[in-house]
């Protein structure tokens, strides 16, 4: 019997129209374009504006575009998974809202929260349903409205994040294309280094939590950078080694877009040159769960069927991981 693999058969992205440039940020905090660019590689980020507009607004646009692009009827979808840490609400799941809005009937839909590694976790979860033969078409979304939890008076975090969404369609493949291998890891010892402290059951909203700014992202930059540089590079090298791949075999590294220095370190460890690294951080910033699908969307015209891709991410939790896939479109 021919082995079933889960392959990406369509990809679509969406970013809101409003742009927050480095020059704009310099009017809010003590910073400038040179400082931000040299340390992060970011030039601008897109921001979703408008009362009552949550992460689902962007995700819905990405999924609508995906279904139209792949000529897929919403009723054909068996499952929708949304990776996000900025859901519209704690409940219902943002995935429920997306599925209803795009006309997907009453199938399973749920959120996965793994911060910047969320899309990798969601993609591998969706792949398991395809590989089992249980489902034929699974939509995986990575979407975050990071501007909703960013303190724009905190220079250490406000320069980093933007808003966006990306979605992919997973289907069965019988040619050996699609997801070949994956590694997912986590270490809760790093939780306090990158955290939104309040809003959950440990610290429900109070005047004190609001005054203390515990509902915004808290990041200890040096600790996070140190972990991210080593873990993202290590896991990428590990998945290449166990699949007997060298830098020459890789068409593209598809890295989480957190910091250009982290991306460069990962590429160097893998032995791939800058021409093989997908880079969108300069125009989107860190869109958390959306960075990897936005990369695939941006670079889709440069990809060929059979290309070897390494997806890699590191995020709060700490969480990190890597996926090796063969492009199927």
């Amino acid at each position: 019997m021919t082995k079933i693999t889960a392959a990406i058969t369509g990809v679509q992205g969406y970013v809101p129209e409003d742009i927050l440039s480095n020059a704009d940020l310099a009017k809010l905090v003590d910073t400038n374009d040179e400082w931000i660019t040299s340390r992060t590689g970011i030039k601008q980020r897109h921001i979703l504006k408008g009362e009552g507009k949550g992460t689902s607004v962007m995700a819905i646009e990405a999924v609508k575009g995906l279904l139209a692009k792949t000529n897929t009827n919403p009723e054909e979808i068996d499952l929708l998974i949304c990776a996000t840490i900025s859901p519209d609400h704690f409940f219902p799941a943002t995935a429920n809202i997306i599925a209803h809005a795009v006309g997907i009937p009453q199938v399973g839909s749920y959120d996965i929260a793994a911060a910047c590694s969320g899309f990798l976790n969601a993609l591998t979860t969706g792949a398991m349903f395809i590989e089992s033969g249980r489902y034929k078409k699974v939509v995986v979304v990575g979407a975050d409205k990071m501007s909703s939890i960013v303190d724009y008076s905190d220079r250490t975090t406000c320069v980093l994040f933007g808003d966006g969404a990306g979605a992919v369609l997973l289907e069965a493949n019988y040619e050996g294309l699609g997801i070949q291998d994956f590694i997912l890891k986590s270490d809760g010892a790093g939780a306090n280094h990158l955290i939104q402290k309040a809003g959950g059951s440990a610290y429900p909203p109070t005047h004190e939590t609001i005054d203390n700014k515990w509902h915004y992202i808290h990041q200890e930059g040096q600790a996070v950078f140190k972990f991210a540089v080593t873990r993202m590079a290590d896991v990428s090298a590990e998945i290449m080694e166990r699949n007997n791949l060298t830098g020459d075999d890789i068409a593209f590294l598809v890295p989480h877009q957190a910091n250009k220095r982290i991306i460069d370190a990962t590429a160097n460890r893998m032995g791939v040159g800058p021409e093989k690294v997908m880079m969108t951080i300069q125009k989107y910033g860190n869109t958390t769960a959306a960075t990897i699908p936005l990369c695939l969307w941006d670079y889709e015209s440069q990809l060929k069927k059979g290309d070897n891709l390494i997806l890699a991410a590191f995020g709060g939790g700490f969480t990190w991981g890597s996926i090796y896939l063969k492009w199927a479109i």
Side-chain angles (χ1 to χ4, degrees):
M1 183 176 178
T2 305
K3 182 185 176 183
I4 300 173
T5 53
I8 293 174
T9 57
V11 59
Q12 183 68 24
Y14 176 83
V15 290
E17 61 181 21
D18 285 296
I19 291 175
L20 183 67
S21 68
N22 289 349
D24 295 328
L25 280 173
K27 299 172 185 176
L28 302 176
V29 292
D30 181 17
T31 191
N32 57 64
D33 176 68
E34 191 280 329
W35 189 92
I36 298 171
T37 304
S38 63
R39 286 162 176 78
T40 69
I42 301 169
K43 292 299 239 179
Q44 64 177 41
R45 63 289 292 149
H46 290 250
I47 304 295
L48 179 63
K49 295 183 178 180
E51 185 176 354
K53 291 187 175 182
T55 294
S56 69
V57 170
M58 300 179 292
I60 288 164
E61 291 302 317
V63 175
K64 280 182 177 178
L66 175 70
L67 297 177
K69 184 177 182 178
T70 57
N71 196 27
T72 302
N73 189 312
E75 294 185 355
E76 297 177 59
I77 303 302
D78 299 304
L79 176 70
L80 187 147
I81 306 171
C82 179
T84 186
I85 56 161
S86 54
D88 287 21
H89 317 279
F90 275 140
F91 64 90
T94 299
N96 301 164
I97 298 170
I98 299 165
H100 174 71
V102 302
I104 294 173
Q106 297 173 12
V107 299
S109 61
Y110 54 86
D111 294 350
I112 285 181
C116 300
S117 305
F119 184 76
L120 297 189
N121 282 263
L123 191 64
T124 53
T125 302
M128 296 300 100
F129 285 100
I130 296 293
E131 290 179 13
S132 73
R134 180 65 61 91
Y135 291 153
K136 290 183 170 56
K137 295 178 186 286
V138 174
V139 171
V140 179
V141 187
D144 272 300
K145 183 184 177 182
M146 296 307 292
S147 63
S148 67
I149 54 174
V150 166
D151 177 4
Y152 283 97
S153 67
D154 177 10
R155 185 178 71 165
T156 64
T157 57
C158 74
V159 303
L160 301 174
F161 297 98
D163 303 338
V168 301
L169 179 64
L170 282 177
E171 296 184 84
N173 184 275
Y174 302 93
E175 304 174 82
L177 303 174
I179 294 175
Q180 307 294 306
D181 194 10
F182 66 88
I183 302 170
L184 301 175
K185 297 190 176 186
S186 69
D187 185 354
N192 288 331
H193 295 309
L194 183 50
I195 188 172
Q196 183 185 0
K197 190 170 183 178
S201 58
Y203 295 97
T206 64
H207 284 296
E208 182 182 7
T209 63
I210 293 170
D211 291 344
N212 290 337
K213 297 187 175 183
W214 287 356
H215 295 267
Y216 294 123
I217 300 166
H218 167 74
Q219 176 172 284
E220 296 171 10
Q222 285 300 108
V224 173
F225 181 82
K226 181 180 178 181
F227 268 83
V229 165
T230 55
R231 298 302 191 275
M232 205 162 113
D234 285 350
V235 78
S236 301
E238 180 182 349
I239 204 164
M240 287 177 64
E241 183 177 348
R242 76 186 200 182
N243 287 279
N244 299 312
L245 298 169
T246 68
D248 292 338
D249 300 316
I250 305 303
F252 279 102
L253 164 65
V254 191
H256 169 55
Q257 307 286 303
N259 182 300
K260 187 176 184 298
R261 290 182 291 174
I262 296 172
I263 295 170
D264 289 344
T266 302
N268 288 338
R269 179 73 183 279
M270 293 170 57
V272 301
E275 74 283 356
K276 291 185 173 185
V277 180
M278 292 191 185
M279 193 80 72
T280 60
I281 192 171
Q282 69 278 7
K283 56 183 177 179
Y284 300 140
N286 182 351
T287 55
T288 304
T291 63
I292 288 176
L294 282 175
C295 278
L296 294 173
W297 176 55
D298 248 46
Y299 281 76
E300 184 180 9
S301 64
Q302 299 183 45
L303 296 174
K304 303 185 301 295
K305 187 175 181 179
D307 276 352
N308 289 320
L309 307 182
I310 300 293
L311 283 54
F314 179 91
F318 288 132
T319 61
W320 66 100
S322 185
I323 294 174
Y324 163 39
L325 66 82
K326 288 182 175 291
W327 195 244
I329 305 175

